[in-house]
């Protein structure tokens, strides 16, 4: 469990995941939703100790739903360790996730590909062996307008292959992109690496221009980019996007357009206990310059603004979170994930819940407790804001023995940040699977 975040930090929304340490963000826009694929730094890591990958999603860029871990090193029978930076893409109704991991038989880093029918998995090894292997890392995948797909990866080199339409095989040989100073900037002080390119490439197209965004000049890294008239170059170095900052000596970019805005994902060490091996994913909204260049982007604790509002009258997963303190998540016996390890004083914030002019009259939640339960205090706008209701959760006889509980609420009108404050005795209180408000006459028992 991550250390508690001071209450004063509750107004922040970056980093966007606080229940675990995350790294190497790879966002994907699909069907009106942003899916975020990340690595997972283990607590108290002193190296890149990473065993699985994680998935999150959001429609408003601030409230993120935890979909757990649909892919791990163990998914690949040939892999030994190192669930490092990957990227997922959709094609032909399937989702392909390209990841680097250590090949058990060769001891080298190799690129595997996993496939799923859903953006949230589960994913399975598509091949039973690496797709490509040259000892290098950090794949990025891109499908051009003409349907040709490309896979790029590398550190210390930068290579690509042309993927076939099945997305799990390729045509031709691995091609190494020339790392020239005109293409990737000039590094000083390292005769073996004359350019700024380090790792973590992210390739995409905007208009007629191809972009490659990358982690530059270890260590500490900054984020830079180059552009080209074709997906294979020639590349021209364009400069810094995100200067070195953020208490992590690595960084990793992910860039998308979503709902009319442009978003830049990265990681830092901003959470309690955070650092170079305990990183956290964050996001900023930005606007391209008129000539297509990318402005300098600085890390903030504010993050991206919310798109629209959250509907409290539809069922919301308890693991949909804008900010939290103290809780964790785990797979639920009822499917999906649930919020767990809830102790006295822990809380979750969801941002921008739109209760409307009529207002809510009841709050319903699905809860389980292998102990004596506790209470959920529902506050508006802060942990000490207007108390709209208190819901008592009983012991249910098991941590996955769920029951549905409904409680009355009052004064829940307008749009507010909603805080779930958990109170009770010492130790874990209860688990939560989902919640929902209703409006209208208060039902009679």
């Amino acid at each position: 469990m991550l250390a508690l975040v001071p209450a004063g930090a509750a107004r922040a929304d970056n980093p966007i995941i606080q229940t675990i340490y995350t790294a190497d963000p790879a966002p994907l826009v699909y069907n009106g939703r942003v899916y975020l694929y990340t690595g997972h730094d283990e607590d108290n890591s002193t190296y890149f100790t990473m065993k699985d990958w994680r998935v999150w999603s959001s429609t408003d860029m601030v409230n993120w739903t935890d979909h757990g871990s649909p892919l791990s090193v163990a998914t690949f029978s040939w892999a030994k360790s190192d669930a490092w930076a990957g990227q997922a893409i959709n094609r032909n109704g399937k989702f392909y996730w390209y990841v680097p991991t250590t090949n058990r038989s060769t001891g080298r880093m190799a690129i595997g590909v996993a496939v799923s029918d859903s953006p949230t998995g589960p994913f399975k090894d598509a091949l039973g062996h690496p797709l490509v292997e040259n000892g290098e890392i950090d794949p990025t995948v891109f499908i051009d307008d003409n349907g040709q797909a490309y896979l790029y990866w590398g550190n210390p080199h930068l290579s690509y292959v042309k993927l076939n339409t099945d997305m799990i095989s390729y045509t031709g040989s691995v091609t190494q992109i020339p790392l020239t100073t005109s293409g990737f900037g000039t590094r000083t002080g390292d005769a073996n690496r004359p350019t700024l390119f380090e790792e973590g490439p992210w390739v995409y197209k905007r208009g007629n221009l191809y972009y490659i965004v990358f982690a530059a000049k270890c260590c500490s890294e900054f984020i830079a980019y180059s552009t080209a008239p074709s997906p294979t170059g020639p590349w021209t170095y364009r400069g810094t996007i995100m200067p070195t900052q953020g208490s992590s000596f690595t960084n990793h970019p992910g860039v998308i357009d979503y709902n009319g805005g442009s978003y830049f994902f990265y990681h830092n060490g901003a959470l309690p206990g955070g650092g170079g091996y305990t990183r956290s994913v964050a996001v900023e909204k930005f606007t391209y310059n008129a000539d297509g260049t990318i402005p300098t982007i600085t890390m903030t604790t504010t993050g991206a603004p919310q798109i629209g509002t959250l509907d409290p009258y539809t069922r919301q997963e308890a693991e949909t979170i804008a900010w939290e303190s103290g809780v964790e998540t785990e797979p639920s016996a009822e499917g999906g994930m649930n919020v767990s390890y809830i102790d006295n004083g822990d809380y979750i914030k969801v941002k921008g819940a739109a209760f409307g002019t009529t207002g809510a009259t009841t709050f319903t939640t699905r809860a389980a407790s292998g102990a004596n339960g506790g209470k959920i205090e529902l506050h508006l706008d802060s942990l000490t804001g207007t108390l709209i209701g208190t819901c008592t959760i009983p012991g249910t006889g098991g941590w996955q023995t769920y029951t549905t509980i409904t409680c009355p609420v009052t004064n829940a009108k307008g749009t507010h940040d909603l805080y779930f404050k958990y109170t009770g005795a010492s130790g874990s209180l209860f688990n939560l699977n989902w919640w929902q408000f209703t409006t209208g006459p208060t039902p009679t028992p």
Side-chain angles (χ1 to χ4, degrees):
M1 181 184 300
L2 301 191
L4 294 180
V5 177
R11 290 184 296 276
D13 293 302
N14 253 349
I16 57 178
I17 308 299
Q18 309 93 40
T19 49
I20 61 171
Y21 295 114
T22 55
D24 305 324
L28 168 67
V29 178
Y30 174 72
N31 200 23
R33 196 170 185 92
V34 177
Y35 291 88
L36 178 62
Y37 300 82
T38 75
H40 170 209
D41 287 340
E42 297 292 326
D43 291 3
N44 305 310
S45 286
T46 56
Y47 182 64
F48 301 113
T49 307
M50 307 172 76
K51 302 174 183 177
D52 61 1
W53 295 270
R54 299 291 182 115
V55 183
W56 324 79
S57 71
S58 178
T59 57
D60 63 10
M61 299 303 293
V62 295
N63 297 301
W64 291 89
T65 301
D66 186 349
H67 299 286
S69 172
L71 184 65
S72 71
V73 170
T75 304
F76 301 98
S77 61
W78 50 268
K80 180 178 71 171
S81 59
D82 306 319
W84 289 3
Q87 185 185 352
I89 199 167
N90 65 295
R91 188 171 198 174
N92 305 323
K94 293 185 181 296
F95 298 83
Y96 300 89
W97 198 347
Y98 302 86
V99 294
T101 186
T102 299
N103 187 334
R104 185 186 306 277
S105 62
T106 66
R108 298 196 308 171
M109 292 300 296
I111 309 300
V113 56
V115 64
S116 175
D117 294 327
S118 163
T120 58
F123 284 81
K124 65 180 181 180
D125 185 356
L127 294 172
H129 57 81
L131 172 62
V132 289
E133 178 176 348
N134 63 0
E136 300 194 32
I137 59 173
D138 293 359
T140 182
V141 59
F142 163 70
I143 302 174
D144 206 352
D145 297 337
N146 63 3
Q148 178 62 60
Y150 297 82
L151 185 75
Y152 307 77
W153 74 99
N155 177 353
H157 305 101
L158 176 59
S159 302
Y160 75 89
V161 292
K162 289 185 177 183
L163 295 173
N164 296 325
T165 55
D166 65 5
M167 301 301 283
I168 60 172
S169 63
Y170 60 90
T171 299
S173 59
V174 173
T175 301
Q176 200 172 108
I177 294 174
L179 291 177
T180 63
T181 54
S182 61
F184 295 91
T186 302
R187 184 188 309 223
T188 58
D190 187 345
N192 295 319
R193 299 188 76 155
T195 78
L196 293 172
F197 178 82
E198 185 71 26
E199 59 187 355
W202 183 272
V203 175
Y204 64 99
K205 184 181 183 183
R206 182 175 181 268
N208 293 319
L209 201 59
Y210 296 82
Y211 293 72
I212 183 165
V213 184
F214 55 91
K217 193 187 177 183
C218 189
C219 285
S220 295
E221 294 173 344
F222 64 96
I223 302 298
Y225 78 112
S226 304
T227 61
S230 86
T232 59
W235 297 97
T236 301
Y237 182 65
R238 297 299 184 187
T240 298
I241 297 175
M242 178 170 279
T244 300
Q245 57 192 289
S247 63
S248 166
F249 59 84
T250 66
N251 203 343
H252 191 286
V255 185
I256 56 167
D257 286 336
Y258 174 65
N259 203 18
S262 298
Y263 295 89
F264 182 84
F265 289 79
Y266 59 96
H267 68 229
N268 58 26
L271 286 184
Y277 301 116
T278 44
R279 299 160 293 179
S280 295
V281 168
V283 65
E284 309 293 344
K285 188 176 183 181
F286 75 96
T287 301
Y288 288 89
N289 297 319
D291 61 359
T293 57
I294 301 174
T296 301
I297 300 171
T298 300
M299 298 181 186
T300 73
T301 58
T302 306
Q306 185 172 13
I307 299 171
T309 55
L310 181 139
D311 183 0
Y313 301 118
T314 62
R315 174 175 148 171
Q316 300 287 346
E317 296 301 314
E319 63 275 12
T320 297
I321 298 170
W323 193 266
E324 63 79 24
S325 177
V327 308
E328 297 185 24
T329 63
E330 65 184 7
S332 172
E334 296 190 326
M337 303 288 283
N338 63 256
V339 176
S340 58
Y341 295 97
I342 298 170
D343 296 335
N344 179 58
D346 292 350
Y347 70 87
I348 285 175
K349 177 186 85 169
V350 295
K351 195 169 183 180
F355 291 101
T357 56
T358 302
T361 52
T362 62
F363 169 78
T364 300
T365 189
R366 186 80 172 159
S369 176
N372 295 317
K375 293 183 178 181
I376 305 173
E377 294 181 7
L378 305 169
H379 292 266
L380 300 182
D381 300 321
S382 76
L383 280 172
T384 56
T386 301
L387 179 66
I388 61 173
T390 301
C391 207
T392 299
I393 308 299
T396 64
W399 293 109
Q400 293 295 325
T401 305
Y402 283 92
T403 188
T404 303
I405 299 159
T406 298
C407 314
V409 296
T410 57
N411 300 315
K413 296 182 180 181
T415 298
H416 301 272
D417 293 348
L418 175 64
Y419 285 76
F420 301 87
K421 182 180 178 181
Y422 308 116
T423 63
S426 62
S428 293
L429 303 177
F430 43 76
N431 291 344
L432 296 173
N433 192 3
W434 54 262
W435 57 266
Q436 183 174 356
F437 287 83
T438 58
T439 188
T442 302
T444 55

